[in-house]
Amino acid sequence: MSDDPTLSQGRSYLAIPGPSVMPEAVLRAMHRSAPNIYAGELIEMTHGLIPDLKRVARTDHDVAIYISNGHGAWEAALANVLAPGDAVLVPASGRFAHGWAEMAQGLGAEAEILDFGKSAPWDLDRIGEALRADTGHRYKAVLAVHVDTSSSVRNDIAALRAVMDEVGHPALLMVDCIASLGCDRFEMDAWGVDVMVTASQKGLMVPPGLGFVFFNDRAAAVRAAMPRVSRHWDWAPRANPEEYYQYFNGTAPTHHLYGLRAALDMIHAEGMVHVWVRHERLARAIWAACEVWGQGGPLELNVADPAFRSHAVTALRIGAPHGTALRDWVERNLGLTLGIGLGMAPPGDPAWHGFFRLGHMGHVNGHMILGLLGGIEAGLTALDIPHGRGAVDAAAQVIAGAA
Ligand SMILES: *Cc1c(COP(=O)(O)O)cnc(C)c1O
């Protein structure tokens, strides 16, 4: 009774926090023969991407593009401002903050981690204390993850900037928006962010393969004072190329650029504010369903306070072995893939099977989220996992604008 693969045919749905669902328009734009990389349309098209990328980041400053995933963008940003022996402060609300800190350590920097656990936002007072205690200004940067995809905590970047200003600490504010850009509201210039990193495969709806580093004049000045910057990661020629090949320090990622062009057209046709509002509404529908399920069983949202929840990814606790059982069931029976828990328990630990995540970033709409939630409801039922009744109805109320 619990396994009935007769319903798995049809369009599969990858509801993990990246790579996200890609629009047909993006896929179609990429399905073409290679363009001339020395002259013509590709060159003009690439120039045109820059202002439209900046509009997504809400910045008037610079952007460098890398052929890389998010880890590459992390390293690219750090390689421009950190020399061996430099120190950084890293407030952590999940696994990705630790990952970025490790990247800094790999470049010979010292990373001071302020760990706030796996389900809580930053304690800004503690960050303020750490900055105040750094009277010699050893911290060259604060590495801040906007949405930590492992925990789904969304931290308050503007409030962190205010703390840094209040203390008068000159460190750069560097923000990882890999999971949040194109989903959650983010304002690079208005929030005083010096460096922002992101990647193509989440809110930007393009396959993995492009990393982006946005930087302002303060960050450029720090870069200019570096004793040495690796030629490949150097953001200066990429942001202000004299020759086309300098955009990418070599062959352009031709097909990704066509995909990105189509994705940016979609984002700006919808409008940034509408993109944020859509993600917020869909996230609220998911939370409403999860709260109802949790009233009659073990399922729990990882982040208690809605003010600190991502609108792009939702981390859930359901107790082992239910997380893995549920993911397996919906994939086998419904063609629906949910995200694994990340960083919540070590992979060999039986507790690892008690977590899962929902990706709802980028090209997702109301019927997809209702399908996702209906699929989970079917899985909970088939697996006899206790859960409250009426979750999909609660989500429908939010989608309908009635709650
Ligand atoms: C996905 C993600 C990364 C890592 O990106 P990769 O493309 O997997 O290297 C880093 N930070 C955050 C917040 C992410 O969501």
Side-chain angles (χ1 to χ4, degrees):
M1 129 90 201
S2 96
D3 219 38
D4 178 14
T6 50
L7 300 179
S8 67
Q9 295 307 307
R11 178 162 297 199
S12 60
Y13 179 3
L14 186 68
I16 70 174
S20 63
V21 175
M22 289 174 285
E24 292 300 319
V26 169
L27 296 172
R28 271 198 305 272
M30 297 180 75
H31 191 110
R32 48 161 298 152
S33 48
N36 184 353
I37 60 166
Y38 301 112
E41 156 208 312
L42 179 73
I43 282 77
E44 288 315 309
M45 197 263 286
T46 307
H47 294 322
L49 293 171
I50 304 301
D52 289 338
L53 283 167
K54 293 185 196 176
R55 280 168 70 202
V56 178
R58 315 280 270 190
T59 185
D60 291 329
H61 295 287
D62 281 312
V63 59
I65 309 177
Y66 297 86
I67 298 180
S68 80
N69 56 19
H71 281 70
W74 271 348
E75 178 141 333
L78 297 175
N80 278 275
V81 295
L82 292 187
D86 285 343
V88 293
L89 182 68
V90 189
S93 291
R95 181 61 217 144
F96 284 93
H98 291 271
W100 203 8
E102 285 156 13
M103 207 58 99
Q105 289 163 343
L107 291 170
E110 221 178 282
E112 179 76 37
I113 297 172
L114 288 180
D115 195 342
F116 299 104
K118 295 170 180 172
S119 53
W122 303 325
D123 177 343
L124 291 166
D125 292 337
R126 273 185 60 199
I127 298 175
E129 276 166 35
L131 291 172
R132 219 167 274 119
D134 181 33
T135 49
H137 295 160
R138 283 189 61 245
Y139 298 133
K140 205 167 179 187
V142 176
L143 308 187
V145 178
H146 186 203
V147 164
D148 201 300
T149 322
S150 63
S151 61
S152 67
V153 171
R154 176 166 51 91
N155 273 300
D156 188 339
I157 300 297
L160 173 59
R161 174 84 260 174
V163 167
M164 294 173 72
D165 288 349
E166 195 187 298
V167 174
H169 200 293
L172 293 174
L173 174 55
M174 302 178 69
V175 181
D176 170 347
C177 287
I178 298 173
S180 58
L181 197 76
C183 307
D184 279 283
R185 182 173 166 219
F186 175 79
E187 307 266 2
M188 177 163 166
D189 292 353
W191 293 355
V193 172
D194 298 303
V195 176
M196 186 270 275
V197 304
T198 195
S200 53
Q201 78 272 25
K202 297 185 184 179
L204 292 178
M205 312 183 293
V206 174
L210 294 180
F212 305 91
V213 178
F214 297 80
F215 58 94
N216 68 10
D217 298 346
R218 282 191 70 222
V222 171
R223 148 76 191 80
M226 285 279 284
R228 178 196 75 84
V229 171
S230 118
R231 181 61 76 93
H232 189 69
W233 291 131
D234 193 354
W235 68 34
R238 288 172 186 260
N240 293 292
E242 282 165 23
E243 308 264 2
Y244 181 73
Y245 82 93
Q246 291 178 311
Y247 267 121
F248 310 102
N249 195 38
T251 305
T254 48
H255 289 68
H256 276 72
L257 297 179
Y258 286 108
L260 179 62
R261 180 65 268 164
L264 291 171
D265 286 344
M266 288 177 72
I267 288 171
H268 291 309
E270 183 178 357
M272 282 316 300
V273 173
H274 284 97
V275 169
W276 299 333
V277 169
R278 169 168 55 87
H279 281 85
E280 182 190 349
R281 189 86 161 272
L282 297 173
R284 284 203 295 112
I286 290 170
W287 307 339
C290 292
E291 269 151 24
V292 172
W293 283 324
Q295 281 158 18
L299 188 130
E300 259 185 310
L301 286 151
N302 184 50
V303 182
D305 184 346
F308 295 102
R309 289 182 196 150
S310 158
H311 296 154
V313 51
T314 299
L316 296 155
R317 295 188 290 252
I318 194 170
H322 299 320
T324 299
L326 182 67
R327 283 193 301 103
D328 287 350
W329 193 90
V330 298
E331 181 158 71
R332 247 191 345 264
N333 293 278
L334 305 180
L336 168 64
T337 304
L338 309 179
I340 59 167
L342 199 68
M344 292 298 177
D349 185 335
W352 188 88
H353 298 287
F355 302 92
F356 68 107
R357 291 175 303 157
L358 309 177
H360 36 104
M361 44 181 53
H363 192 54
V364 282
N365 59 20
H367 86 77
M368 294 166 77
I369 294 304
L370 287 169
L372 166 71
L373 296 171
I376 294 171
E377 173 94 32
L380 294 170
T381 303
L383 295 167
D384 276 330
I385 301 171
H387 58 280
R389 295 302 152 99
V392 177
D393 183 48
Q397 299 287 323
V398 177
I399 298 278

